[in-house]
Amino acid sequence: MYPGPAGSGMLLFMAVAPTGGKGPTMLTEWMQDLADALGVDLASVGDAELVDLILDLARDAAHAVDRPAAPLTTFLVGYAAAQHGGGRACLAESAAAARDLAAAWERRSSTDRPGDEPPDGHRTAGGIAES
């Protein structure tokens, strides 16, 4: 981590380029600029651990569900965290729920075969059971 702007009392995470480069990367700069534009205190959630959690969640949703699920999942996780009070704990809880659901979808998709009926007998539309 490195100190944020002088006098801000903020610490920013340092993203390291996948090639092993050192120093802040474009991702770090993007996150800071976006946080500023949105009026978000990056110091409250912008550490490397939480960034990794969100990136891993996006990857898991993309692989377990479908690629477009990645941005939708991260959006809904952030939205849910905000509706439940915000902060690190709410974000981590929302991310854990989404990660568990993605894992369940992945397990389900590995056992489903085209034309199979769901166990409860309901047909599905887009993977969502219709009542």
Side-chain angles (χ1 to χ4, degrees):
M1 292 206 228
Y2 69 94
S8 70
M10 186 168 47
L11 290 177
L12 303 176
F13 71 96
M14 283 183 78
V16 177
T19 59
K22 294 183 180 176
T25 65
M26 191 176 296
L27 180 59
T28 303
E29 292 174 29
W30 165 249
M31 285 189 57
Q32 184 59 57
D33 287 350
L34 182 59
D36 291 346
L38 298 173
V40 174
D41 177 16
L42 189 60
S44 65
V45 293
D47 65 35
E49 181 181 328
L50 286 177
V51 170
D52 287 344
L53 179 134
I54 294 300
L55 293 175
D56 289 348
L57 176 59
R59 180 204 59 221
D60 293 347
H63 289 273
V65 182
D66 196 20
R67 286 181 63 155
L72 296 173
T73 300
T74 57
F75 166 75
L76 285 172
V77 163
Y79 193 79
Q83 284 196 323
H84 292 98
R88 292 179 67 91
C90 290
L91 183 59
E93 289 172 18
S94 296
R99 188 177 47 251
D100 291 347
L101 183 60
W105 270 63
E106 187 169 40
R107 284 190 304 274
R108 184 182 78 190
S109 70
S110 68
T111 60
D112 286 348
R113 300 288 180 258
D116 284 353
E117 289 292 319
D120 61 5
H122 290 96
R123 295 190 184 277
T124 60
I128 301 173
E130 295 177 349
S131 306

